């Protein structure tokens, strides 16, 4: 069960890859108690599954990175705090901010998972043409319907400490 709380307002979209090689394995894992997952799953043939309500939170983001670092706008206080590496403390400080001062989180974003295995070399397989076409369509629909700006759509490793190649070949 991947729905974990009320999603009051959607401010962003986070694009992921599953790490598994089939949509069926992801769909099965979503049925487990306290499972992690996203709102949508895009299978290898481009089929889009909505697996969670857009009114419910899912656990798909993880601990947030400091957005001010990427955007070169950290305050002196933030820079001092970031000198000590602590993902938990960084996440806590970021969570106190609002989007766009921080990245979208579980509390205010929609997650899209694309089926794609992680190779033995630790690199995600390439998102295929059918998946990218479906992702492009889904993002267009979500941004139009929900009013999410394109500037608030991110690959998972941009917002949280994840494998850098995750969703690297995804295109919207």
């Amino acid at each position: 069960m991947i729905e974990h709380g009320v999603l009051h307002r959607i401010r962003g979209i986070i694009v992921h890859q599953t790490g598994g090689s089939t949509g069926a394995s992801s769909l099965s894992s979503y049925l487990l108690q306290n499972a992690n997952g996203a709102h949508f799953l895009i299978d290898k043939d481009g089929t889009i599954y909505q697996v969670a309500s857009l009114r419910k939170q899912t656990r798909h983001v993880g601990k947030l990175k400091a957005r001010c670092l990427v955007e070169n706008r950290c305050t002196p206080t933030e820079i001092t705090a970031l000198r000590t590496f602590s993902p938990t403390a960084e996440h806590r400080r970021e969570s106190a901010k609002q989007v766009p001062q921080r990245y979208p989180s579980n509390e205010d974003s929609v997650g899209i998972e694309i089926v794609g295995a992680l190779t033995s070399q630790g690199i995600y397989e390439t998102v295929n043409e059918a998946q990218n076409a479906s992702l492009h369509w889904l993002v267009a629909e979500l941004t139009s319907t929900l009013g999410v700006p394109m500037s608030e759509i991110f690959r998972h490793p941009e917002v949280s400490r994840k494998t850098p190649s995750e969703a690297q070949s995804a295109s919207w």
Side-chain angles (χ1 to χ4, degrees), residues 56-123:
K56 295 289 187 173
Q57 292 179 31
T58 63
R59 294 180 188 143
H60 63 98
V61 175
K63 293 178 182 174
L64 294 173
K65 290 181 181 178
R67 187 170 182 174
C68 68
L69 278 177
V70 174
E71 297 177 355
N72 294 314
R73 57 172 175 76
C74 293
T75 66
T77 302
E78 288 172 314
I79 290 170
T80 299
L82 289 165
R83 284 191 183 126
T84 303
F85 182 72
S86 171
T88 299
E90 185 175 350
H91 174 75
R92 193 175 320 113
R93 286 189 303 272
E94 290 300 300
S95 294
K97 301 174 186 176
Q98 295 297 312
V99 172
Q101 298 306 310
R102 67 161 167 80
Y103 290 117
S105 67
N106 292 332
E107 290 76 26
D108 54 17
S109 71
V110 169
I112 301 172
E113 289 262 26
I114 302 168
V115 174
L118 188 61
T119 68
S120 59
Q121 293 81 28
I123 304 215

Side-chain angles (χ1 to χ4, degrees), residues 40-60:
F40 295 92
L41 176 71
I42 301 176
D43 211 338
K44 295 235 177 169
D45 65 358
T47 301
I48 300 170
Y49 299 94
Q50 183 172 352
V51 293
S53 168
L54 293 177
R55 294 186 172 138
K56 295 289 187 173
Q57 292 179 31
T58 63
R59 294 180 188 143
H60 63 98

